[in-house]
Coordinates of all heavy atoms in Angstrom, one line a residue:
T1 N 188.1 10.2 24.2 CA 188.6 10.8 25.5 C 187.9 10.1 26.7 O 186.7 9.9 26.7 CB 188.3 12.3 25.5 OG1 188.8 12.9 24.4 CG2 188.8 12.9 26.8
Q2 N 188.8 9.6 27.6 CA 188.3 9.1 28.9 C 188.4 10.3 29.9 O 189.5 10.9 30.0 CB 189.2 8.0 29.4 CG 189.0 6.7 28.6 CD 187.6 6.1 28.8 OE1 186.9 5.9 27.8 NE2 187.2 5.9 30.0
I3 N 187.3 10.7 30.5 CA 187.3 11.8 31.4 C 187.1 11.3 32.8 O 186.1 10.6 33.1 CB 186.2 12.8 31.0 CG1 186.4 13.2 29.6 CG2 186.1 14.0 31.9 CD1 185.2 13.9 28.9
S4 N 187.9 11.8 33.8 CA 187.8 11.4 35.2 C 187.7 12.7 36.0 O 188.4 13.6 35.8 CB 189.1 10.6 35.6 OG 189.3 9.5 34.8
K5 N 186.7 12.6 36.9 CA 186.6 13.7 37.9 C 186.0 13.1 39.2 O 185.7 12.0 39.2 CB 185.7 14.9 37.3 CG 184.3 14.5 36.9 CD 183.7 15.8 36.3 CE 182.3 15.4 35.8 NZ 181.6 16.6 35.3
S6 N 186.0 14.0 40.2 CA 185.6 13.5 41.5 C 184.2 12.8 41.5 O 184.0 11.9 42.3 CB 185.6 14.6 42.5 OG 184.7 15.6 42.1
T7 N 183.3 13.2 40.6 CA 182.0 12.6 40.6 C 181.9 11.3 39.8 O 180.8 10.8 39.7 CB 181.0 13.7 40.1 OG1 181.4 14.1 38.8 CG2 180.9 14.8 41.1
G8 N 183.0 10.9 39.1 CA 182.9 9.7 38.3 C 183.7 9.9 37.0 O 184.3 10.9 36.8
S9 N 183.5 8.9 36.1 CA 184.2 9.0 34.8 C 183.2 8.9 33.7 O 182.1 8.5 33.9 CB 185.2 7.9 34.7 OG 184.6 6.7 34.8
S10 N 183.6 9.4 32.5 CA 182.8 9.3 31.4 C 183.6 9.2 30.1 O 184.9 9.3 30.2 CB 181.9 10.6 31.2 OG 182.7 11.7 31.1
T11 N 183.0 8.8 29.0 CA 183.7 8.6 27.7 C 183.1 9.6 26.7 O 181.9 9.9 26.7 CB 183.4 7.2 27.2 OG1 183.9 6.3 28.2 CG2 184.1 7.0 25.9
M12 N 184.0 10.2 25.9 CA 183.5 11.1 24.8 C 184.3 10.7 23.6 O 185.4 10.4 23.6 CB 183.9 12.5 25.2 CG 183.4 13.5 24.1 SD 183.5 15.2 24.6 CE 185.3 15.4 24.8
V13 N 183.5 10.6 22.4 CA 184.1 10.3 21.1 C 183.7 11.5 20.2 O 182.6 11.9 20.2 CB 183.6 9.0 20.6 CG1 184.1 8.7 19.2 CG2 183.9 7.8 21.5
L14 N 184.7 12.0 19.5 CA 184.5 13.1 18.6 C 184.9 12.6 17.2 O 185.9 12.0 17.0 CB 185.4 14.3 18.9 CG 184.8 15.3 19.9 CD1 185.9 16.1 20.5 CD2 183.8 16.2 19.2
L15 N 184.2 13.1 16.2 CA 184.5 12.8 14.8 C 184.7 14.2 14.2 O 183.8 15.0 14.1 CB 183.4 12.1 14.0 CG 183.6 11.9 12.6 CD1 184.8 11.0 12.3 CD2 182.4 11.3 11.9
Y16 N 186.0 14.4 13.7 CA 186.3 15.7 13.0 C 186.4 15.4 11.5 O 186.7 14.4 11.1 CB 187.7 16.2 13.5 CG 187.7 16.7 14.9 CD1 188.4 15.9 15.9 CD2 187.1 17.9 15.3 CE1 188.5 16.4 17.2 CE2 187.2 18.3 16.6 CZ 187.9 17.6 17.6 OH 187.9 18.1 18.8
S17 N 186.1 16.5 10.8 CA 186.2 16.5 9.3 C 186.9 17.8 8.8 O 186.7 18.8 9.5 CB 184.8 16.3 8.7 OG 184.9 16.4 7.3
R18 N 187.6 17.7 7.7 CA 188.2 18.9 7.1 C 187.1 19.7 6.4 O 187.3 20.9 6.2 CB 189.3 18.5 6.2 CG 190.5 17.9 6.8 CD 191.3 18.8 7.6 NE 192.6 18.2 8.0 CZ 193.5 18.8 8.8 NH1 193.2 20.0 9.2 NH2 194.6 18.2 9.1
T19 N 186.0 19.1 6.1 CA 184.9 19.8 5.5 C 183.6 19.7 6.4 O 183.7 18.9 7.3 CB 184.6 19.3 4.1 OG1 184.2 17.9 4.2 CG2 185.8 19.4 3.2
K20 N 182.6 20.4 6.0 CA 181.4 20.3 6.9 C 180.5 19.1 6.6 O 179.5 18.9 7.3 CB 180.5 21.6 6.7 CG 181.2 22.8 7.3 CD 180.3 24.0 7.2 CE 180.9 25.2 7.9 NZ 180.0 26.3 8.0
E21 N 180.9 18.2 5.7 CA 180.2 17.0 5.5 C 181.2 15.8 5.3 O 182.3 16.0 4.9 CB 179.3 17.1 4.2 CG 178.2 18.1 4.4 CD 177.4 18.2 3.1 OE1 177.4 17.3 2.3 OE2 176.6 19.2 3.0
L22 N 180.7 14.6 5.7 CA 181.5 13.4 5.6 C 180.6 12.3 5.0 O 179.4 12.4 5.0 CB 182.0 12.9 7.0 CG 183.4 13.3 7.4 CD1 183.6 12.8 8.8 CD2 184.4 12.9 6.5
S23 N 181.3 11.4 4.4 CA 180.6 10.3 3.7 C 179.8 9.4 4.8 O 180.2 9.4 5.9 CB 181.6 9.4 3.0 OG 182.3 8.6 4.0
P24 N 178.7 8.8 4.3 CA 178.0 7.9 5.2 C 178.8 6.8 5.8 O 178.6 6.4 7.0 CB 176.9 7.3 4.3 CG 176.7 8.3 3.2 CD 178.1 8.9 3.0
E25 N 179.9 6.4 5.1 CA 180.8 5.3 5.6 C 181.5 5.8 6.9 O 181.7 5.1 7.8 CB 181.7 4.8 4.6 CG 181.1 4.1 3.4 CD 180.4 5.0 2.4 OE1 180.8 6.2 2.3 OE2 179.6 4.5 1.6
R26 N 182.0 7.1 6.8 CA 182.7 7.7 7.9 C 181.8 7.9 9.1 O 182.2 7.7 10.3 CB 183.4 9.0 7.5 CG 184.5 8.8 6.4 CD 185.7 8.1 7.0 NE 186.7 8.1 5.9 CZ 187.5 7.1 5.7 NH1 187.4 6.0 6.4 NH2 188.4 7.1 4.7
L27 N 180.6 8.3 8.8 CA 179.6 8.5 9.9 C 179.3 7.2 10.6 O 179.2 7.1 11.8 CB 178.3 9.2 9.4 CG 178.5 10.6 8.8 CD1 177.2 11.1 8.2 CD2 179.1 11.6 9.8
E28 N 179.2 6.1 9.8 CA 178.9 4.8 10.4 C 180.1 4.3 11.2 O 179.9 3.7 12.2 CB 178.6 3.8 9.2 CG 178.3 2.4 9.7 CD 177.1 2.3 10.7 OE1 176.2 3.1 10.7 OE2 177.2 1.4 11.6
M29 N 181.3 4.6 10.7 CA 182.5 4.2 11.4 C 182.5 4.9 12.8 O 182.8 4.2 13.8 CB 183.8 4.7 10.7 CG 185.1 4.5 11.4 SD 186.4 5.4 10.7 CE 185.9 7.1 11.0
F30 N 182.2 6.1 12.9 CA 182.0 6.9 14.2 C 181.0 6.3 15.1 O 181.2 6.0 16.3 CB 181.7 8.4 13.9 CG 181.1 9.1 15.0 CD1 181.9 9.5 16.1 CD2 179.8 9.4 15.0 CE1 181.4 10.2 17.1 CE2 179.2 10.1 16.1 CZ 180.0 10.5 17.1
T31 N 179.8 6.0 14.5 CA 178.7 5.4 15.3 C 179.1 4.0 15.8 O 178.9 3.7 17.0 CB 177.5 5.3 14.4 OG1 177.1 6.6 14.0 CG2 176.3 4.7 15.2
Q32 N 179.7 3.2 15.0 CA 180.1 1.9 15.4 C 181.2 1.9 16.5 O 181.1 1.2 17.5 CB 180.6 1.1 14.2 CG 180.9 -0.4 14.4 CD 179.6 -1.1 14.9 OE1 178.5 -0.9 14.4 NE2 179.7 -1.9 15.9
F33 N 182.2 2.8 16.3 CA 183.3 2.9 17.3 C 182.7 3.4 18.6 O 183.1 2.9 19.7 CB 184.4 3.8 16.8 CG 185.5 4.0 17.9 CD1 186.4 3.0 18.0 CD2 185.5 5.1 18.7 CE1 187.4 3.2 19.0 CE2 186.5 5.3 19.7 CZ 187.4 4.3 19.8
S34 N 181.8 4.3 18.6 CA 181.1 4.8 19.8 C 180.4 3.7 20.5 O 180.5 3.6 21.8 CB 180.2 6.0 19.5 OG 180.9 7.1 18.9
R35 N 179.7 2.9 19.8 CA 179.0 1.7 20.4 C 180.0 0.8 21.0 O 179.7 0.2 22.1 CB 178.2 1.0 19.3 CG 176.9 1.8 18.9 CD 176.2 1.0 17.8 NE 175.0 1.7 17.3 CZ 174.6 1.7 16.1 NH1 175.3 1.0 15.2 NH2 173.6 2.4 15.7
E36 N 181.1 0.6 20.4 CA 182.2 -0.3 20.9 C 182.7 0.2 22.2 O 183.2 -0.5 23.1 CB 183.3 -0.5 19.9 CG 182.9 -1.3 18.7 CD 184.0 -1.3 17.6 OE1 185.0 -0.7 17.8 OE2 183.6 -1.8 16.5
Q37 N 182.6 1.5 22.4 CA 183.1 2.1 23.7 C 182.0 2.1 24.8 O 182.2 2.7 25.8 CB 183.5 3.6 23.4 CG 184.7 3.7 22.4 CD 185.8 2.8 22.7 OE1 186.4 2.8 23.8 NE2 186.2 1.9 21.8
G38 N 180.9 1.4 24.5 CA 179.8 1.3 25.4 C 178.8 2.4 25.4 O 177.9 2.4 26.3
L39 N 178.8 3.2 24.4 CA 177.8 4.3 24.3 C 176.6 3.8 23.5 O 176.7 3.0 22.6 CB 178.5 5.5 23.6 CG 179.7 6.1 24.3 CD1 180.4 7.2 23.4 CD2 179.3 6.7 25.6
T40 N 175.4 4.3 24.0 CA 174.2 3.9 23.3 C 173.8 4.9 22.2 O 174.4 6.0 22.1 CB 173.0 3.9 24.4 OG1 172.8 5.3 24.8 CG2 173.4 3.0 25.6

C-alpha cells in the first residue's frame, strides 16, 4: 500500500496467511519484497 496524506507519503507491506504460521520461504519473500520497496 502506498499511503498519501498532507504530511507526506509512506509505504506499507502486509503478509497475510490462512493459518497462524507460514514457511520460512514465505517470510523471506515478504522481507525481500519489503526491502525492494525501500524499507529497512
Side-chain angles (χ1 to χ4, degrees):
T1 304
Q2 289 294 124
I3 303 165
S4 304
K5 54 184 180 180
S6 58
T7 56
S9 63
S10 60
T11 300
M12 182 171 65
V13 178
L14 272 162
L15 177 63
Y16 290 110
S17 173
R18 293 289 189 183
T19 62
K20 290 187 176 186
E21 293 183 14
L22 265 179
S23 70
E25 294 80 19
R26 297 290 184 218
L27 298 176
E28 180 57 31
M29 173 196 69
F30 160 74
T31 301
Q32 190 58 42
F33 178 79
S34 298
R35 288 178 184 143
E36 289 168 8
Q37 301 310 302
L39 300 171
T40 65

